[in-house]
């Protein structure tokens, strides 16, 4: 039976060859077995949370002192509880993801009582949920922090962004998309665009900061509704939100949305709304200074401290997902068949493997490339070579060897192209 802890993320202490020792606030210690497949992700997430002075949820085996699970809790307020037959839907702010408490949870009564208590008091609370299903497994009071005075801009909802050209819209998209956190090893200051589940308000505010630093002030658009978005960056291919936000720029009278979590370029506001699955969804424009449009304690973030904490929390969540069984995004089961792509695969850190593909016309000229699909800047990820086998007078087989040059899992696709002679 594992014992769950929720404490400030531990500082990493001296590493042994097999075990990494960690120390929690209050002095309790635990060890991470480096032979555990998820150990790299656990240590990376704990390091990210510790650096940002955020909380971690850690389960420790009481007999061995070994870490058995690491998750990212959310410091939120409980805004609403909606009972259902099998579960209770839980509305948390700030969060745009759907959370629930299942009635078959053995701790259902205790957790529901805590949620009801915190709903009445509006006290900030630490809520931990399963990474993909968003089923709540732990609820406890958030650590008390000293009050920090904050300068709030009065009003601040009017959208008055900088008029720009379409070329500047594209430039600003490339600026922010260029800050995408490495999917397999997300570290500061990267933006976790490949973790679409939650945290859009932090991503949007950081995008706005980057644009403003480059001389262009955007606005923001908030969408409210029953939102369902197909995404190759979530293992089950579907993300559910109750709201979402992204920066906007206006060029030649057209409003464009900058949202690398959903699109590989700027899109019109109508296109952005249409992909989110609710024709009746409501759009609300605001100025760039609004950090959270409907949760008053977080309405503004003039020093970007809340932005940085939000990004750190979801970088840690991406780290855990990428080092779990599904590996880093994108996920091949979520990607439609693409002309010119023969297969998709992944390689473990430092791994080299070979694939073959047969029954190709020997008389055709075929050019092969192997392209990483896991986003990660900083250096080359893979190399490949192609060998050929003539199997009969008309057919041939291609043997494709691929090497992972990194210390993290890399996903890729093998592409072919017929050359015209």
């Amino acid at each position: 039976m594992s014992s769950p802890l929720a404490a400030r993320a531990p500082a990493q202490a001296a590493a042994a060859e097999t075990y990494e020792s960690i120390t929690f606030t209050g002095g309790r210690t635990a060890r991470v077995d480096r032979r555990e497949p998820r150990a790299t992700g656990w240590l990376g997430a704990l390091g990210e949370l510790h650096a940002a002075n955020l909380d971690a949820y850690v389960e420790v085996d009481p007999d061995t002192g070994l870490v058995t699970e690491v998750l990212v809790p959310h410091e939120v307020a409980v805004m609403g509880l909606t009972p259902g037959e099998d579960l209770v839907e839980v509305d948390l702010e700030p969060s745009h993801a759907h959370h629930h408490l299942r009635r078959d949870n053995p701790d259902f009564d205790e957790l529901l009582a805590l949620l009801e208590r915190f709903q009445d008091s509006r006290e900030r609370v630490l809520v931990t949920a399963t990474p993909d299903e968003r089923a709540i497994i732990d609820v406890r009071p958030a650590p008390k922090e000293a009050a920090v005075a904050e300068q709030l801009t009065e009003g601040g909802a009017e959208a008055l962004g900088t008029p720009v050209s379409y070329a500047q819209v594209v430039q600003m998209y490339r600026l922010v998309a260029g800050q995408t956190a490495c999917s397999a090893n997300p570290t500061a200051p990267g933006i976790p665009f490949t973790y679409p589940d939650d945290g859009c308000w932090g991503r949007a505010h950081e995008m706005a900061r980057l644009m403003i630093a480059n001389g262009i002030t955007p606005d923001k658009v908030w969408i409210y509704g029953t939102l369902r978005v197909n995404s190759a960056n979530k293992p089950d291919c579907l993300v559910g939100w109750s709201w979402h936000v992204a920066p906007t720029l206006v060029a030649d009278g057209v409003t464009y949305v900058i949202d690398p979590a959903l699109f590989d370029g700027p899109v019109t506001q109508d296109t952005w709304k249409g992909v989110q699955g609710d024709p009746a969804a409501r759009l609300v424009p605001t100025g760039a200074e609004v950090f959270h449009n409907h949760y008053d304690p977080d309405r503004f973030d003039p020093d970007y401290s809340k932005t940085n904490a939000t990004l750190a929390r979801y970088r840690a969540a991406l780290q855990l997902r990428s080092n779990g069984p599904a590996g880093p995004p994108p996920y091949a089961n979520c990607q439609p068949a693409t002309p010119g792509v023969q297969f998709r695969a992944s390689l473990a850190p430092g791994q080299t493997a070979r694939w073959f593909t047969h029954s190709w016309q020997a008389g055709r000229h075929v050019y092969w490339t192997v392209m990483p699909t896991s986003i990660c800047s900083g250096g080359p990820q893979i190399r490949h070579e192609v060998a050929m086998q003539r199997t009969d007078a008309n057919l041939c087989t291609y043997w494709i060897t691929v090497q992972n040059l990194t210390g993290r899992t890399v996903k890729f696709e093998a592409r072919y192209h017929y050359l015209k002679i």
Side-chain angles (χ1 to χ4, degrees):
M1 183 72 177
S2 295
S3 172
L5 301 174
R8 288 296 178 196
Q12 297 181 18
E17 184 175 348
T18 305
Y19 299 98
E20 179 91 8
S21 297
I22 55 178
T23 303
F24 297 93
T25 301
R28 183 172 177 179
T29 62
R31 298 181 301 162
V32 174
D33 187 340
R34 289 186 171 276
R35 297 167 296 184
E36 155 68 48
R38 296 174 293 170
T40 300
W42 288 347
L43 292 170
L46 290 171
E48 176 80 40
L49 295 170
H50 175 69
N53 197 33
L54 295 174
D55 301 285
Y57 172 93
V58 183
E59 293 183 0
V60 179
D61 188 306
D63 297 324
T64 65
L66 291 176
V67 172
T68 59
E69 182 64 277
V70 176
L71 296 172
V72 180
H74 304 285
E75 186 173 334
V76 291
V78 181
M79 307 301 291
L81 301 170
T82 305
E85 183 177 350
D86 298 322
L87 51 81
V88 175
E89 294 182 0
V90 184
D91 180 17
L92 303 174
E93 291 290 3
S95 173
H96 62 145
H98 297 297
H99 293 82
H100 61 271
L101 176 62
R102 294 194 58 85
R103 294 187 183 276
D104 58 7
N105 186 318
D107 300 319
F108 173 82
D109 291 335
E110 178 184 354
L111 293 173
L112 181 60
L114 286 168
L115 291 169
E116 290 173 340
R117 168 188 150 196
F118 290 120
Q119 180 188 19
D120 292 338
S121 68
R122 288 293 193 268
E123 181 182 350
R124 298 281 278 202
V125 59
L126 288 180
V127 173
T128 303
T130 56
D132 297 327
E133 298 83 5
R134 301 292 169 194
I136 293 171
I137 61 172
D138 189 75
V139 179
R140 63 186 67 208
K144 298 294 184 181
E145 302 284 359
V148 178
E150 182 177 288
Q151 289 274 2
L152 296 184
T153 306
E154 291 295 327
E158 189 175 1
L160 296 170
T162 307
V164 298
S165 66
Y166 182 71
Q168 289 173 307
V169 173
V170 174
Q171 180 186 11
M172 290 299 100
Y173 178 91
R174 291 174 178 170
L175 170 72
V176 300
Q179 297 300 309
T180 300
C182 173
S183 297
N185 184 30
T187 57
I191 305 174
F193 289 119
T194 56
Y195 188 83
D197 309 46
D198 211 348
C200 64
W201 64 101
R203 299 194 301 266
H205 215 55
E206 176 65 2
M207 286 190 278
R209 185 192 70 79
L210 290 168
M211 294 183 204
I212 292 168
N214 280 267
I216 291 179
T217 299
D219 293 315
K220 291 180 182 176
V221 60
W222 306 73
I223 181 170
Y224 298 90
T226 304
L227 310 178
R228 295 174 66 82
V229 180
N230 295 320
S231 175
N233 291 324
K234 191 164 179 283
D236 64 3
C237 314
L238 187 66
V239 181
W241 299 322
S242 54
W243 57 272
H244 185 50
V245 61
T248 59
L249 294 168
V250 177
D252 300 323
V254 179
T255 299
Y256 292 94
V257 183
I258 309 297
D259 194 353
L262 295 184
F263 295 96
D264 58 6
V267 297
T268 66
Q269 187 168 267
D270 287 344
T271 298
W272 183 76
K273 175 185 177 182
V275 81
Q276 298 186 59
D278 184 357
R282 178 171 58 98
L283 298 181
V284 178
T286 71
E289 69 273 25
V290 177
F291 177 61
H292 199 292
N293 194 40
H294 53 280
Y295 183 62
D296 287 342
D298 284 347
R299 184 162 175 76
F300 300 100
D301 182 28
D303 64 359
Y304 297 95
S305 59
K306 295 175 181 177
T307 300
N308 292 332
T310 302
L311 296 176
R313 180 171 286 115
Y314 294 109
R315 280 194 299 262
L318 177 57
Q319 179 84 252
L320 294 173
R321 172 174 287 168
S322 294
N323 286 273
Y331 301 104
N333 58 298
C334 304
Q335 297 173 284
T338 304
V341 174
Q342 181 64 9
F343 64 89
R344 296 184 174 99
S346 65
L347 288 170
Q351 181 185 10
T352 299
R354 187 170 68 169
W355 288 260
F356 71 90
T357 174
H358 61 84
S359 301
W360 292 80
Q361 292 294 323
R364 300 293 300 270
H365 297 273
V366 181
Y367 177 72
W368 289 92
T369 57
V370 177
M371 179 60 63
T373 55
S374 299
I375 296 174
C376 201
S377 60
Q381 294 169 274
I382 58 175
R383 67 160 55 100
H384 77 282
E385 60 182 32
V386 180
M388 285 74 72
Q389 174 192 7
R390 187 68 171 260
T391 53
D392 65 25
N394 299 310
L395 302 177
C396 67
T397 295
Y398 293 99
W399 299 81
I400 302 171
T401 302
V402 188
Q403 179 185 5
N404 182 353
L405 303 175
T406 77
R408 300 278 176 163
T409 298
V410 172
K411 295 183 175 180
F412 67 89
E413 58 187 22
R415 302 174 179 175
Y416 65 91
H417 180 70
Y418 289 114
L419 301 181
K420 294 182 179 179
I421 303 300

